[in-house]
């Protein structure tokens, strides 16, 4: 291909591109002065005129431009009719190459004369495409075959066309930044040359055939398609395959005559692609109508052809694509953003609702060609809404917003994936059928994730437990227990424990969610429900310790609006002790409008207007939801700061647990979030539980079961996760929660730095992440060590040796003392928390709660421990006498049997008295009464 031809092709391409661009820009100005009917006429003529220009250029240049035209001709769902009718001509055979050229290529490639290869060869080609043409032939042994022969010189033409296409895309991105197709053309430049080597196509064909043949009729995800067999060794430019007599998809008369059900046909093709993408991770990237036939023999299975452009994706990308699909089906913003992060799609702006709407476009139902105009209008309307939201979010003016690209990085693997979805949609439009992709492809996406989780379950892989070093012999036995319990009861779990200021357990196991097979890691963040109350109560104690507040202070003194409706006598200690009489506050709101709890100011306003149901200080009833807003209002009014500012100042920063303890998550951590699900077997047990005497009177047993079953639906949504709900919306890792209770166990003394084994180091995440475009650092895994600490042997556990690094501390007592800081100055903080000694008069006699924490008795009846459990099984607590703290986080909500088994084993191993909350017969707190199973 000489320079003269290269320059000529380039000039033709750019000349037509500029003419079309100027034509459309001129029409945009012209239609402003036209009425409705005349506007339509102007646009129709403009489309027709430019469609003919495009068609003529593509026919003249052939090569890559024909393939582009074939792709565009299938997009009847989004392109004007003029383009579809013109470009459809490219689906038919192009002018054939000479028979002399074809025979010369075959003999050169196969090294034999035609007479030694075939007993018969049909001179007229079956089809001529942009890269090759296909002839029917008969082998010497009598087999009927097709011979695919590459055009001479097409490789050079294709490569040159890719350069021209890249230049045009660059120019469009400069002129109209919102239409930046660079990621798509970059991926095409990488993949398209592979089509020029038929050796690749032969191997791809064998692979896809092998993958799809593994499905069988008993498998619900089985598919029924035909794929021609590769007959003999291929070469770069010649491919011989089994001949299959079929009907072309554009031959509507034959489809009708043979009685082909076009709906079932396209559904089966779609199922085949669901299997290739989500099950195999290996799929044909070019499903245009010319690459399919239909068997003439009932039941008229589709015949899949041409596997030149075939994409292989990693297991991680396959999971991410499946998760993206299911997040669209479920409307789950968190899962969608996590999927984006996993696949490497980086957004420059945090707009989860708009991101979900755009993602759903890919999986929307296909529309027949006659609905194309309406579909285009719908998509345009949605685009305008999203642009308006973008302008509001970014504060950009209209011109700036038009030039702003919200995508910072788009993964190449996803380009071919989206192209396939668009081609499939175009295919169904061409055949005038409607396909519900979310129904057809869902089983395959679910199988992709669930199959991965089965592969990584405890029965088959030790990697079900995160590969971190074992801190102690107790932890080694705990991990064996988790493997024994298995995936029936555990989806994802973290367990962390401190003893005498040192980490003795830091284990993560399982997966992040039902549809998220990624392994739980130490820095994964779990929703912990009422565990949050123990964090919120700690902030109130911190303010009292700083002299900003008194336990016996009347709330109305610091929060004037609160003192109405018989609440003027309610004191801070009444709220902490669950005796404020507001146990039912917000209950009606939750029934009528659950999402109102996401509005912090309005929730505080509703709380301030509530009326007590019982005399303040007289009875102890669990304030299951109102507790958080009551404490939150107290915290903000007493401190003069926002709730989250106090949380960071009092707990997050001093304990160095940034990024792993939140009440209301910020944007940017979705990829580390665990997703809730429910153990449905245990839900039945909730119905059989006795009505609890201290539960809110407006909750019946059946209502409790409904609440438990519905909680994941509400608390997995992004707007709820981002809300400030200080009674129920904590998100934390077990290691952050255990460290918090380790400080409480030591009367406010901050423990030495967390174990250096734990990767990434605790505190290494920013509490408020960088913008979404920031790259997430790769996690490094530690190496296992078995050296023991002789000082710990007499204490009932054996620690492994400690590696020194910048996060590690000098293990001498003097060095530790020099570095110690405190979060509480009050040496009697334990008495204050548990409502003992000087603080006993502030609590309800023999109540389950001290001041904000559930207090636990040991088997001797002595109060030695405190903490707070959450609905579903997560918990955090500490034992003061034994300087021990422990946290368990789970994402499979259950009756708490897993949590109890874990705590019982660890306490027994260490010789620590088991708190009654976690015993088989001891008195349980309200949350554990809901979540703890029978003994």
């Amino acid at each position: 291909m000489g320079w003269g031809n290269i320059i000529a092709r380039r000039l033709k391409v750019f000349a037509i591109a500029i003419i079309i661009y100027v034509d459309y820009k001129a029409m945009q100005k012209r239609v402003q002065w036209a009425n409705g009917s005349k506007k339509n006429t102007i646009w129709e003529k403009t489309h027709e005129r430019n469609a003919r220009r495009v068609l003529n250029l593509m026919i003249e240049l052939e090569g890559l431009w024909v393939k582009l035209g074939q792709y565009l001709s299938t997009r009847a769902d989004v392109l004007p009719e003029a383009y579809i009718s013109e470009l459809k001509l490219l689906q038919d055979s192009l002018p054939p190459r000479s028979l002399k050229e074809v025979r010369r290529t075959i003999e050169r490639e196969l090294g034999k004369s035609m007479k030694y290869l075939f007993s018969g060869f049909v001179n007229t080609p079956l089809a001529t495409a942009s890269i090759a043409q296909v002839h029917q032939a008969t082998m010497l042994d009598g087999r009927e075959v097709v011979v695919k022969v590459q055009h001479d010189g097409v490789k050079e033409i294709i490569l040159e066309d890719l350069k021209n296409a890249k230049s045009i895309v660059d120019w469009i991105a400069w002129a109209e930044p919102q239409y930046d197709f660079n990621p798509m053309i970059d991926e095409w430049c990488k993949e398209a040359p592979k089509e020029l080597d038929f050796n690749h196509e032969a191997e791809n064909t064998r692979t896809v055939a092998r993958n799809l043949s593994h499905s069988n009729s008993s498998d619900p995800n089985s598919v029924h398609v035909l794929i021609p067999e590769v007959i003999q060794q291929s070469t770069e430019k010649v491919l011989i395959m089994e001949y299959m007599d079929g009907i072309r998809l554009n031959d509507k008369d034959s489809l009708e005559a043979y009685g082909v059900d076009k709906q079932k046909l396209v559904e089966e093709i779609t199922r085949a692609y669901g299997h290739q993408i989500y099950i195999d991770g290996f799929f044909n990237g070019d499903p245009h109508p010319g690459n399919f036939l239909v068997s003439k023999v009932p039941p008229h299975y589709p015949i899949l052809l041409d596997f030149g452009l075939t994409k292989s994706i990693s297991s991680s990308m396959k999971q991410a694509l499946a998760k993206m699909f299911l997040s669209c089906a479920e409307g789950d913003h968190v899962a969608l953003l996590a999927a984006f992060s996993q696949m490497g799609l980086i957004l420059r702006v945090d707009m989860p609702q708009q991101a979900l709407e755009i993602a759903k476009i890919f999986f929307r139902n296909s529309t027949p060609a006659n609905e194309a105009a309406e579909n285009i209008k719908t998509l345009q309307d949605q685009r305008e809404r999203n642009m308006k939201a973008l302008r509001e979010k970014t504060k950009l003016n209209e011109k700036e917003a038009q030039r702003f690209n919200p995508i910072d990085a788009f993964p190449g693997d996803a380009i071919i994936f989206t192209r396939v979805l668009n081609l499939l949609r175009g295919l169904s439009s061409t055949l005038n059928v409607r396909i519900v992709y979310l129904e057809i492809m869902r089983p395959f996406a679910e199988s992709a994730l669930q199959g991965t989780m089965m592969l990584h379950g405890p029965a088959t892989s030790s990697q079900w437990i995160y590969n971190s070093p074992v801190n102690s012999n107790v932890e080694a036995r705990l991990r064996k227990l988790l493997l024994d319990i298995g995936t029936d009861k555990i989806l994802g779990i973290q367990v962390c424990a401190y003893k005498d200021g040192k980490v003795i357990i830091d284990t993560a196991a399982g997966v992040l969610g039902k549809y998220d097979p990624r392994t739980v890691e130490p820095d994964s963040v779990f929703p912990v429900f009422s565990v949050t109350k123990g964090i919120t109560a700690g902030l109130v104690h911190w303010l009292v310790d700083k002299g900003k507040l008194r336990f016996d202070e009347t709330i109305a003194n610091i929060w004037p609006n609160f003192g109405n409706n018989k609440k003027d006598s309610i004191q801070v200690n009444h709220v902490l002790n669950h005796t404020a009489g507001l146990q039912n506050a917000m209950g009606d709101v939750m029934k009528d409008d659950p999402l109102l709890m996401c509005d912090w100011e309005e929730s505080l306003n509703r709380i301030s207007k509530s009326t007590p149901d019982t005399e303040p200080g007289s009875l102890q009833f669990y304030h299951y939801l109102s507790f958080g807003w009551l404490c939150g209002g107290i915290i903000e009014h007493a401190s003069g700061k926002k709730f989250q500012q106090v949380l960071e100042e009092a707990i997050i920063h001093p304990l160095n647990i940034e990024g792993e303890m939140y009440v209301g998550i910020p944007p940017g951590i979705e990829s580390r979030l665990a997703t809730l699900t429910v153990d449905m077997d245990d839900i039945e047990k909730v119905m059989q539980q006795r009505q609890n005497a201290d539960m809110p009177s407006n909750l019946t047993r059946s209502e409790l079961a409904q609440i438990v079953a519905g909680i994941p639906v509400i608390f997995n949504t992004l707007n709820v996760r981002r809300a400030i709900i200080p009674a129920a919306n904590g998100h934390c890792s077990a290691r952050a929660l255990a460290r918090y209770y380790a400080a409480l166990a030591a009367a406010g003394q901050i423990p030495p730095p967390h174990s250096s084994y734990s990767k990434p180091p605790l505190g290494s995440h920013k509490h408020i992440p960088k913008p979404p475009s920031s790259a997430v650092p790769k996690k490094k895994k530690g190496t296992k060590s078995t050296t023991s600490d002789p000082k710990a042997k007499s204490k009932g556990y054996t620690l492994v040796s400690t590696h020194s690094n910048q996060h590690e501390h000098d293990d001498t007592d003097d060095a530790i003392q020099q570095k110690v800081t405190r979060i509480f100055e009050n040496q009697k903080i334990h008495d204050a928390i548990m409502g003992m000694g000087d603080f006993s008069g502030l609590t309800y006699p023999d109540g389950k709660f001290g001041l904000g924490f559930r207090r636990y008795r040991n088997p001797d009846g002595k109060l030695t421990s405190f903490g707070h459990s959450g609905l579903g099984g997560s918990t955090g607590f500490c034992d003061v006498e034994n300087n021990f703290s422990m946290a368990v986080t789970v994402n499979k909500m259950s009756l708490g049997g897993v949590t109890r088994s874990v705590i019982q084993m660890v306490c027994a191993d260490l010789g620590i008295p088991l708190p009654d909350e976690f015993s088989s017969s001891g008195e349980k707190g309200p949350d554990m009464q809901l979540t703890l199973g029978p003994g």
Side-chain angles (χ1 to χ4, degrees):
M1 189 177 182
W3 277 107
N5 286 334
I6 290 174
I7 294 173
R9 289 177 69 87
R10 186 167 296 181
L11 288 175
K12 289 176 182 177
V13 169
F14 276 91
I16 293 297
I18 292 172
I19 289 170
I20 293 174
Y21 178 76
V22 172
D23 194 3
Y24 274 108
K25 279 294 182 182
M27 289 306 105
Q28 285 180 344
K29 299 291 184 183
R30 182 180 173 187
V31 296
Q32 293 177 358
W33 310 102
N35 59 33
S37 60
K38 195 170 182 179
K39 278 184 180 180
N40 292 336
T41 302
I42 291 173
W43 280 122
E44 285 175 7
K45 289 183 178 179
T46 304
H47 294 324
E48 289 172 1
R49 183 167 61 247
N50 288 306
R52 283 193 296 271
R53 286 169 174 161
V54 170
L55 175 65
N56 292 335
L57 178 69
M58 289 177 170
I59 291 176
E60 179 183 357
L61 297 184
E62 295 187 347
L64 180 75
W65 301 107
V66 172
K67 293 189 71 64
L68 176 61
Q70 290 171 338
Y71 167 68
L72 294 175
S73 72
T74 67
R75 300 310 313 277
D77 55 327
V78 293
L79 278 181
E81 173 58 30
Y83 281 90
I84 303 303
S85 60
E86 292 287 347
L87 297 179
K88 268 185 179 179
L89 298 174
L90 296 172
Q91 292 182 14
D92 297 325
S93 286
L94 298 172
R97 295 295 180 95
S98 69
L99 187 60
K100 182 179 179 180
E101 175 189 317
V102 170
R103 287 176 173 270
R104 184 173 63 243
T105 301
I106 293 174
E107 291 180 346
R108 183 179 65 241
E109 289 291 305
L110 299 181
K112 294 181 181 180
S113 171
M114 293 284 287
K115 66 181 179 180
Y116 295 116
L117 292 169
F118 309 106
S119 62
F121 189 88
V122 180
N123 293 338
T124 304
L126 293 172
T128 302
S130 58
I131 292 177
Q133 66 189 45
V134 180
H135 289 259
Q136 187 175 353
T138 306
M139 300 291 289
L140 296 177
D141 60 6
R143 285 180 295 177
E144 293 295 317
V145 297
V146 293
V147 185
K148 185 174 181 179
V149 185
Q150 189 174 127
H151 302 320
D152 270 353
V154 74
K155 182 174 183 178
E156 291 77 10
I157 292 174
I158 292 286
L159 295 178
E160 177 60 26
D161 288 344
L162 284 172
K163 295 177 185 177
N164 293 339
K166 172 66 175 170
S167 298
I168 290 176
V169 167
D170 286 339
W171 173 60
I172 292 173
W174 171 81
E176 305 285 342
Q178 70 272 30
Y179 297 112
D180 185 357
F181 301 113
N182 267 297
M184 181 178 294
I185 195 65
D186 289 343
E187 182 66 13
W188 206 354
C189 287
K190 183 175 73 174
E191 295 294 333
K194 296 178 183 177
E195 292 190 83
L196 300 170
D197 186 347
F198 290 169
N199 289 309
H200 285 300
E201 181 174 346
E203 186 55 37
N204 294 339
T205 303
R206 294 187 185 99
T207 301
V208 174
R210 186 166 56 247
N211 290 341
L212 295 183
S213 67
H214 288 168
S215 60
N216 54 67
S217 57
S218 61
D219 180 0
N221 290 335
S222 61
V223 295
H224 304 287
V225 295
L226 302 175
I227 298 175
E229 178 187 356
V230 178
I231 296 301
Q232 66 178 45
Q233 183 64 40
S234 59
T235 73
E236 182 181 355
K237 296 182 179 181
V238 175
L239 178 62
I240 302 176
M241 304 185 72
E242 172 189 7
Y243 172 74
M244 288 188 168
D245 189 18
I247 310 165
R248 293 173 63 87
L249 295 192
N250 61 0
D251 187 352
K252 295 183 179 179
D253 292 340
S254 295
L255 291 175
E256 190 72 27
Y258 278 92
V260 175
D261 186 329
K262 291 185 288 186
Q263 180 74 30
K264 288 185 178 179
L265 172 69
V266 180
E267 286 181 358
E268 198 60 37
I269 290 174
T270 304
R271 284 170 50 76
Y273 272 84
H275 196 291
Q276 289 176 68
I277 293 168
Y278 298 116
I279 305 299
D280 308 323
F282 189 81
F283 57 93
N284 182 358
D286 200 20
H288 66 76
N291 284 344
F292 297 97
L293 296 174
V294 185
S295 170
K296 293 180 179 180
V297 180
H300 304 300
Y301 290 143
I303 302 171
L304 278 55
L305 307 173
D306 194 348
F307 294 88
L309 180 59
T310 307
K311 185 69 178 175
S312 177
I313 55 177
S314 67
S315 176
S316 177
M317 177 58 73
K318 184 173 69 175
Q319 293 170 15
L321 292 176
K323 190 172 181 180
M324 180 175 74
F325 179 92
L326 292 169
S327 66
C328 290
E330 300 280 340
D332 188 340
H333 299 91
V334 175
L336 179 68
L337 295 179
F340 283 174
S341 177
Q342 187 175 354
M343 70 172 62
L345 195 160
I346 302 173
L347 303 176
R348 289 192 174 102
V349 61
D350 177 51
M351 297 177 65
Q353 180 61 44
Q354 284 68 36
L356 183 63
E357 289 178 2
I358 293 170
K360 281 185 174 181
I361 290 174
F362 293 120
F363 306 111
R364 71 189 186 278
N365 297 351
S366 66
T367 53
N370 58 10
E371 297 178 19
E374 182 181 345
N375 191 40
I376 292 171
K377 185 178 185 305
T378 300
L379 294 176
Q380 182 61 30
D381 290 345
Q382 185 177 45
R383 183 178 182 278
E384 290 177 0
R385 289 196 303 272
N386 290 340
M387 286 298 296
K388 181 180 178 182
L390 176 65
R391 291 196 299 271
E392 293 173 353
K393 180 76 174 180
T394 59
K395 310 301 182 187
L396 298 173
N397 61 40
E398 185 171 354
K399 185 176 181 180
E400 290 171 332
Q402 289 288 339
R403 298 189 67 83
F404 179 78
N405 189 342
I407 299 177
D408 188 39
F410 199 98
D413 286 348
I415 296 290
I416 303 298
F417 170 75
T418 55
R419 181 176 186 269
V420 165
L421 294 179
N422 286 332
L423 280 168
L424 289 175
R425 183 169 288 104
L427 181 67
S428 62
S429 296
T430 300
L431 292 176
N432 209 38
V433 298
R434 192 184 307 274
I435 299 298
V436 184
Y437 292 98
L438 290 178
E439 287 184 8
I440 296 176
M441 285 191 164
R442 180 168 187 147
F444 298 99
E446 289 179 338
S447 293
L449 297 182
Q450 292 169 350
T452 303
M453 286 185 271
M454 289 177 65
L455 288 174
H456 291 84
T460 57
S461 173
S462 60
Q463 293 304 305
W464 184 74
I465 291 181
Y466 183 72
N467 185 25
S468 59
V470 177
N471 288 274
S472 66
N473 55 350
V474 179
E475 183 169 26
R477 288 190 286 274
L478 168 68
R479 293 186 179 189
K480 184 179 184 304
L481 173 66
L482 296 180
L483 290 170
D484 291 341
I485 295 173
T487 55
D488 283 347
K489 290 299 178 184
I490 297 175
L491 183 62
I493 188 171
Q494 294 171 322
V495 182
C496 185
Y498 277 73
K499 181 72 174 71
D500 300 321
K502 294 183 178 180
V503 176
I504 60 171
I505 296 172
D506 192 0
T507 286
V511 294
L512 286 175
K514 181 180 179 182
Y515 294 132
D516 192 344
R518 291 174 299 150
T519 304
V520 174
E521 299 186 18
D523 64 333
S524 300
V525 178
F526 282 66
V528 294
F529 295 103
S530 287
V531 174
T532 317
K533 292 182 175 71
I535 298 168
T536 302
L539 300 184
V540 177
H541 281 271
W542 185 79
L543 289 172
V544 172
D545 191 70
K546 300 301 179 194
K548 301 287 187 180
L549 191 64
R550 301 191 319 274
F551 289 124
D552 61 356
E553 186 162 5
T554 302
I555 296 174
N557 288 343
I558 58 171
W559 185 358
N561 292 342
F562 184 82
N564 54 30
N565 296 334
K566 302 179 182 179
K567 299 196 299 299
D568 54 320
S569 64
I570 298 179
Q571 299 174 356
V572 173
N573 64 294
H574 294 150
V575 171
L576 292 175
N577 195 229
H578 295 270
T579 59
L582 296 170
Q583 59 270 17
N584 294 319
M586 298 293 285
D588 291 340
V589 172
M590 287 297 297
K591 287 182 179 180
D592 299 336
D593 184 11
L595 294 184
L596 186 141
M597 65 180 174
C598 298
D599 188 330
W600 173 249
E601 296 298 336
E602 180 58 24
S603 295
L604 290 183
N605 180 49
R606 296 292 183 100
I607 282 289
S608 68
K609 293 179 179 179
S610 61
T611 303
D613 290 326
T614 55
E615 182 69 23
S618 63
L619 295 171
Q620 189 175 74
F621 285 103
Y622 185 47
H623 289 44
Y624 67 106
L625 196 56
S626 58
F627 180 91
W629 289 302
L630 288 166
C631 288
I634 293 169
I635 290 164
E636 290 201 343
H637 285 86
S639 67
K641 299 178 180 180
K642 291 295 184 182
F643 177 88
Q644 289 176 311
Q645 289 179 289
V646 179
L647 175 62
E648 291 174 24
E649 183 179 349
I651 297 175
I652 304 297
H653 295 322
L655 293 178
N656 193 32
I657 54 176
E658 283 86 352
E660 295 186 35
M661 181 178 284
Y662 297 99
V663 179
I665 63 167
I669 71 164
E670 291 84 8
S671 63
R672 291 192 288 124
L673 287 181
T675 305
L676 292 166
T677 188
V678 174
D679 188 328
M680 296 308 297
D681 292 336
D682 279 4
I683 284 294
E684 297 299 323
K685 298 178 182 178
V686 174
M687 296 296 294
Q688 301 170 10
Q689 297 259 345
R690 61 183 178 83
Q691 182 70 28
N692 302 306
D694 59 350
M695 287 303 297
S697 59
N698 67 333
L699 290 179
T700 65
R701 190 163 53 205
S702 61
E703 286 174 331
L704 288 175
Q706 292 174 4
I707 288 174
V708 173
I711 277 176
V713 177
I714 296 174
F715 278 84
N716 280 337
T717 61
L718 190 60
N719 52 349
V720 173
R721 286 187 182 240
R722 289 185 175 180
I724 304 172
I725 310 172
N729 200 34
H731 286 74
C732 61
S733 65
R735 63 183 186 174
L737 185 60
R739 184 168 178 79
Y740 168 60
Y741 275 103
L744 297 184
Q749 179 176 298
I750 296 174
H754 192 77
S755 170
S756 62
Y757 294 153
S758 200
K759 304 293 181 182
L762 181 61
S764 61
H765 291 289
K766 288 186 177 292
H767 191 61
I768 300 176
K770 294 179 182 178
S773 60
S774 300
V776 179
K778 295 182 179 180
K779 297 175 174 58
K780 297 180 180 179
K781 298 181 181 180
T783 54
K784 191 171 181 178
S785 176
T786 57
T787 308
S788 64
D789 177 5
K791 294 181 180 179
K793 290 183 179 178
S794 61
K795 300 177 181 180
Y797 59 93
T798 303
L799 287 172
V800 300
S801 66
T802 304
H803 298 304
S804 61
N805 59 20
Q806 68 270 27
H807 298 284
E808 192 52 86
H809 58 280
D810 187 341
D811 208 18
T812 66
D813 292 341
D814 290 341
I816 292 174
Q817 287 299 322
Q818 290 172 5
K819 294 181 180 180
V820 160
T821 56
R822 309 182 65 84
I823 58 174
F824 296 117
E825 299 299 327
N826 180 12
Q827 297 296 319
K828 295 185 177 180
I829 189 64
H830 292 150
D831 285 349
I833 287 174
M834 291 192 283
M836 297 167 53
D838 296 342
F839 301 90
S840 59
L842 299 173
T843 61
Y844 189 75
D846 297 322
K848 296 177 181 177
F849 289 93
L851 293 179
F853 293 80
R854 167 79 169 99
R855 53 190 185 182
Y856 309 139
R857 298 183 183 275
N858 65 18
D860 296 331
K862 185 178 179 181
L863 289 173
T864 59
S865 306
F866 61 86
H868 216 297
S869 297
L871 186 68
S874 293
T875 193
F877 74 95
C878 63
D879 183 310
V880 174
E881 287 193 351
N882 291 282
N883 194 11
F884 171 75
S885 70
M886 187 170 180
V888 180
T889 57
V890 295
N891 60 351
K892 188 172 189 178
M893 299 176 63
S894 68
L895 297 180
V898 171
T899 302
R900 181 187 57 192
S901 297
V902 166
I903 294 174
Q904 286 179 347
M905 190 230 88
V906 172
C907 287
D909 255 35
L910 298 176
I912 292 175
L914 182 68
D916 54 359
E917 177 98 327
F918 308 104
S919 67
S920 300
S921 58
E923 189 174 16
K924 313 296 187 296
D927 285 286
M928 292 303 283
Q929 284 187 345
L930 283 175
T931 62
L932 199 60

